Amino acid sequence: MTRKTVLEDCDVLVVGGGMAGTGAAFEARHWGRDLKIICVEKANIDRSGAVAQGLYAINCYMGMQWGENQPEDHVRYARNDLMGLVREDLGYDMARHVDSAVHMFEEWGLPMMRNKETGRYQREGKWQIMIHGESYKPIVAEAAKKSADKIYNRIMITHLLMDEEKENRVGGAVGFNMRTGDYHVFRAKTVIVAAGGASHIFKPRAVGEGMGRTWYAPWSNGSAYALPIAVGAKMTQMENRIVLCRFKDGYGPVGAYFLHLKTYTQNANGENYEKKWYEKTKELVGEYIDHHPTPTCLRNHAFIQETMAGGGPIHMVTKEAFQDPHLETVGWENFLGMTVGQAVVWASQNIDPKYTNPELTTSEPYVMGSHATCSGAWVSGPEDIAPPEYFWGYNRMTTVEGLFGAGDTVGGSAHKFSSGSFTEGRLAAKAAVKYIEEEKAKDIKVSDNQCEDFKEIIFKPLENYTVGRNEITGGTVSPSYISPIQGLQRLQKIMDEYVGGISYNYMTNENTLKRGLELLDWLQEDLENVGAEDYHQLMRAWELKHRTLTSQCVTEHTLFRQETRWPGYYYRGDYMKLDDENWHCLTLSRRDPKTGKFTMEKAPVYHIVDEKEKKEAS
Ligand SMILES: Cc1cc2nc3c(=O)[nH]c(=O)nc-3n(C[C@H](O)[C@H](O)[C@H](O)COP(=O)(O)OP(=O)(O)OC[C@H]3O[C@@H](n4cnc5c(N)ncnc54)[C@H](O)[C@@H]3O)c2cc1C
């Protein structure tokens, strides 16, 4: 069959039109008036990414205009929550710019809640401000649409193109349109990967009839990691997966409940179980348990220990707060603007939080770089504050030249959330334009052969199916191919059982990780034979391949770090204690694109913020 190829040449290519991608498209136009800017999105940017349904709060806003917080405060907060290990240059850089992004959201029409007495944005917590955020995503999408030369919706990017003149320099990206089946080639001077986090790599709690329900967006399939990993970009902190405490079965968020409604948790006997686990936790992590606020992973740890000891179910005490009609409204609206599914689950389980305290649970692990963890690409920091080990010319550029990242893609800088991801997209785009202006993207060569090779690879699952289906005698079991859902379930089982998922109470060790790596290798081999019956399934096939590569990287990192840095996110049974002496560092990996082998190394953690202050004081 002849397949149409659509070719575009551009200056800035943005992969993924979520929060970071829309920020990147907007800012690229600001600095690059005459440049050709293209944004490619797997869904439709009006309702895509983790903010598709809307949000009820912007979780990262300093409030510098009112002297509420300073960027340094945010760095200390993120450092504390991540048990000491963050890239402070990246966090500081995001925090010093994030307020201006939020002010633009308001200008563009996002309804913000205001405190009636002070006139300031209504705070939900120290960092969060409350919004009527159902329209959040269409609003930022409009800014991107007005800025980019072209937005391509419904195109999944599967591979990055590489320059054939200069080693380790990007040359664009390729993918396919999942409605028409057209092959798309984007030759680009710079590429900004902003393709979101990774859900569904570990077996989820919601299986069977609940399949597809997850906390992080089910369509976040790890392309943000697989694309740079495949071309040999260095990754950092991929072991730092996140586990969330959420309302049971609907994964409804708890932030507004804790912070605004002042609800609290208790075990089945009505006890404050967190206190019970203080001494034992201290034995594992030392003084980190005394930090304020208690790091998220340690709160999870108490939850997990309590349920393992038979103290569950754990409940959120809502009955008191919900007696106040205003708080009751806020409690429900919180879901209706963001996670409608939780309200539906409660209705189906006959739970009215005014009369019944709802159950909480800990989720399966997710991988991401923008929420309360910092897995992702190892990128250059800003020139004014990044120490030499963190700086190689262009802010947010990965270790592959011309390849930038933002949002969930970027590692080491947690707690960016929606506003910080948009901001980071802006920072990456500004640097990408500078890279072009300084003529770093001259004479890139991407041959027709390279593009033709990818064309064959991308559509192979359709061929596998067309040939293999003739051998099916009944049902969906084929001797010659596996379907994307079969492959996905196999991946989730491996990650769950060997890399610290829910079935094993997040426990793993060197032996299970090594076995997990073997099984992942064999899964990779079998994925050569994944079959897709239509273009939608072709997308599923490529999502699975990206998830699997991401999972290999997560497993390698988990094996490398010989300590339990974040109890409550995962446990290394063979190294149960936090080990600051040997592991107060960041982990880096690189996968050799030719051999597929990973190499690991340590990178230093610099506590820049307090060093700066110490110097100023002396
Ligand atoms: C349940 C939930 C609740 C949250 N609550 C809050 C909150 O209350 N406040 C807050 O500030 N933040 C919140 N966040 C965090 C916020 O949504 C994220 O930090 C932010 O969306 C990350 O931005 P991003 O651009 O990296 O990823 P996303 O916004 O997810 O965008 C990634 C985009 O890439 C596209 N894409 C993926 N793969 C490909 C591919 N191969 N080719 C082309 N396109 C691709 C996706 O379709 C998507 O549009 C929440 C997130 C979730 C999931």
Side-chain angles (χ1 to χ4, degrees), residues 18-20 41-42 48-51 57 59 157 195 216 223 370 408 417-418:
M19 286 309 294
E41 166 57 47
K42 186 172 75 161
S48 70
V51 178
N59 280 355
I157 294 296
Y216 215 61
S223 295
S370 75
D408 276 325
F417 295 98
S418 60

Side-chain angles (χ1 to χ4, degrees), residues 14-22 40-45 47-60 124 128-129 131 136-137 152 154-159 174 178 193-197 214-225 227 246 251 253 334 338-339 368-371 406-410 416-422 424 543 546:
V14 181
V15 177
M19 286 309 294
T22 49
V40 188
E41 166 57 47
K42 186 172 75 161
N44 183 311
I45 71 162
R47 284 282 171 200
S48 70
V51 178
Q53 279 188 85
L55 294 177
Y56 201 65
I58 286 176
N59 280 355
C60 185
E124 183 185 84
Q128 302 81 354
I129 52 173
I131 56 174
Y136 196 1
K137 190 65 214 303
Y152 280 93
R154 304 283 171 208
I155 290 180
M156 178 174 185
I157 294 296
T158 55
H159 301 84
V174 292
M178 57 198 85
V193 174
T214 60
W215 167 72
Y216 215 61
W219 43 83
S220 295
N221 69 287
S223 295
Y225 312 118
L227 292 170
R246 287 293 179 264
Y251 296 91
N334 186 241
M338 173 160 69
T339 317
M368 68 197 60
S370 75
H371 211 274
D408 276 325
T409 307
V410 168
K416 294 177 282 206
F417 295 98
S418 60
S419 46
S421 297
F422 186 91
E424 198 169 48
E543 286 184 338
H546 286 186

